[in-house]
Amino acid sequence: MSIQALSEKIRNLQSNWPDNWIGMRDIFKSCHERLGFISPFDRGSERVSRLIAAGLSVANFVEHSNKKMARNNREPNYHSRLHTAIVLESLTALLLEQRRIDKTTTKSPLREEILLLVAMAGHDAGHDGSRNSSVCQLESRSFRLISPLLEAAKCDPEDIYAVKRIIWGTDPMLYEKLHKGAQTTKFSLNHPAWQAVICQESDILASAMPEFEKELTQSLANEWQKRDPISAEGLMSRGGRTYFLTHYAKFSSPAALSFGLPELVDDQLSNLQ
């Protein structure tokens, strides 16, 4: 999957939002099926099946809880179902590109791939548009909301902890530290730091693309407006964009490098100077 194909996926999601929305469960299903189908002969197939079941439950929970918020005009402008769908599509694109780089021949989804999809399906569960007042505050709440669904699907305890750790890693305050830590070791989807990094990348990938910059930044500014109008105004400024690209738009995985994302960020920074 190319970066151009991902752009088209994101545009389609945006054009269908909210009037022709297909729902988070179908989006999660589409993403995991592009990674392959489980064979009963695959080693660990039952564990992967449980993760998929959990992911579908999490996606369904996010859909219905956010739809309820939307009926009361409380679904966040940025941290909405649309954002979660864009993140899942971005993560799927990165995983497919990593498969191409690794020359992966399996036609079945890998446990690590589904694990990441489950985590990102639930990483903003219950988000109310507020901001962290302490490290991982909102991320911890999101995990608490989805953890019963992981347990109900009888996911392996190790996988449940990994989902928790990955969701914690989506706190922007941890981006730089985790990227630096990951770069001390060879890339592997089995490595906790790299799992966090590729999920972080999927979380901010669309916002780093000039094509979607204006619309997504405006959505976030609208979300912040009631609680912090000064910061909301700053997001829309040249300095706000420069700060985001410098401090948060981190791309380190082989798939992100293959897509040319660091160069995309550098080009924007050059134009802002």
Side-chain angles (χ1 to χ4, degrees), residues 26 75 97 138 189 196 203 219 225 234:
D26 284 349
E75 184 170 22
E97 181 63 10
L138 294 176
L189 276 182
D203 202 13
S219 292
Q225 184 63 41

Side-chain angles (χ1 to χ4, degrees), residues 112-150:
E112 293 78 14
E113 294 171 334
I114 302 302
L115 181 70
L116 304 189
L117 283 176
V118 173
M120 297 315 285
H123 80 289
D124 279 331
H127 203 300
D128 59 1
S130 62
R131 299 165 66 187
N132 281 344
S133 57
S134 58
V135 177
C136 298
Q137 178 187 16
L138 294 176
E139 292 75 17
S140 295
R141 184 172 66 188
S142 294
F143 177 75
R144 285 197 301 271
L145 286 172
I146 69 166
S147 59
L149 302 175
L150 307 181

Side-chain angles (χ1 to χ4, degrees), residues 59-127:
N60 200 47
F61 170 79
V62 170
E63 177 66 28
H64 287 285
S65 59
N66 279 41
K67 189 180 291 185
K68 182 177 180 181
M69 293 173 71
R71 285 196 293 268
N72 297 315
N73 198 32
R74 292 192 300 107
E75 184 170 22
N77 292 84
Y78 178 85
H79 290 98
S80 61
R81 286 164 286 164
L82 176 60
H83 167 68
T84 300
I86 290 173
V87 171
L88 289 176
E89 289 289 356
S90 299
L91 177 57
T92 302
L94 290 169
L95 292 174
L96 289 171
E97 181 63 10
Q98 192 61 48
R99 281 184 164 215
R100 188 193 67 79
I101 293 168
D102 294 340
K103 297 182 173 60
T104 302
T105 57
T106 181
K107 295 182 180 179
S108 301
L110 303 175
R111 181 188 67 85
E112 293 78 14
E113 294 171 334
I114 302 302
L115 181 70
L116 304 189
L117 283 176
V118 173
M120 297 315 285
H123 80 289
D124 279 331
H127 203 300

